[in-house]
Amino acid sequence: MENPTKRMALKESNISRYEQEFLEVSCIGSGEFGSVFKCINRLDGCEYAVKKSIKPVAGSVNERSALNEVYAHAVLGRHQHVVRYFSAWAEDNHMFIQNEFCNGSSLEELIKEYNEDNKIFSQDDLRTLLIHILEGLKYIHSMSLIHLDIKPGNIFISREKHYNSINGDSHDDGFEDDEAEDVTYKIGDLGHVTSLHNPVVEEGDCRYLPREILQEDYSHLPKADIFALGLTVYEAGGGGPLPKNGVWWHAIRDGKLKDLPQCTRDFNDLFKLMIHPDPTLRPSAQCLLQHPAVSPTVSMTKAQLQRELRAQRHKNEMLSKILMSSFVTEHEESIPKRLSSSRCIGKKVNRSQSNIEF
């Protein structure tokens, strides 16, 4: 029996489906490989990001990158901090990849917006970004894969609004619910992903590459992702734009970074640790998630954690009292005052008298 081929070349599949299955809304990004479109699936009505190659891919140098991304998604499956993959197909020798649509655009776009508005990420914001991408990298590395192109343009943002009920109950208690927004950072664009054990390295953006990759030393590939992430978060904190070459480019690879003014000493030192010239001294994603600067509670003793818990409970109790007092006051003020001429119960009413003598 003839074994079916495991992987089909792009030119072997030529079934049209893009226009049949998707309504194209807008172009949300473009690059060397192609463009990404926000689309609505005509069947389920959901939004997706569909990547389409600009030029015919079959037989070109971009074919390996296109298929590499598909295979990487297939291996990785689903993770909260990796952009979700749905399907891929070829149409007229163009590659299409259907991914999760992230409604918050990319970190690169957010950094541009912040720069235009003279805003910066706070340390708490940077910590959230760092934790989310570390979780994604931890998962990718656990599958013996390396991303090799971590940068702001390949980190996508999902925003989801929800309402927090003040007292945790779903019924109407007279209080307005607070609107909150969950922000989730996700790793995308897996075109440079390679295997840890049999690497085929295609260099990514030189601004985020460590020196050892450029010297073709692939013995510590996971640490290249850590290097790139350190510079990515540093850039988000106002440390960019990063150089493509020159004196500063070399200084960064010697472990020299200017401190971010909004960050503590420990957090600034963490950046330097992540870009250490010696890749063996850069922590893994797992170790960084346990670093005190990333997760302050990790270094706290049981007694300290209990004190923090008691303090937080006390704050919550005080806040509840203040809110309840405010509610009662507003409720009383909303009740119309009785007219002074209103008759009191029992006023000028003949009272019965008992004739029984004791």
Side-chain angles (χ1 to χ4, degrees), residues 296-312:
T297 56
V298 170
S299 61
M300 296 175 68
T301 65
K302 182 178 179 180
Q304 289 174 323
L305 288 170
Q306 288 176 337
R307 284 196 296 271
E308 287 285 334
L309 180 59
R310 285 195 295 269
Q312 190 61 47

Side-chain angles (χ1 to χ4, degrees), residues 61-76:
V61 294
N62 290 325
E63 181 174 11
R64 189 182 66 82
S65 177
L67 293 176
N68 197 50
E69 182 167 2
V70 174
Y71 301 150
H73 274 298
V75 171
L76 288 174

Side-chain angles (χ1 to χ4, degrees), residues 75-111:
V75 171
L76 288 174
R78 185 176 180 182
H79 187 273
Q80 182 182 5
H81 297 295
V82 177
V83 172
R84 187 179 178 187
Y85 161 81
F86 288 92
S87 67
W89 69 97
E91 182 177 325
D92 295 331
N93 283 338
H94 289 267
M95 184 71 179
F96 289 80
I97 303 176
Q98 177 190 356
N99 285 332
E100 167 189 7
F101 172 69
C102 295
N103 59 0
S105 189
S106 68
L107 178 61
E108 181 180 42
E109 291 299 319
L110 185 59
I111 291 173

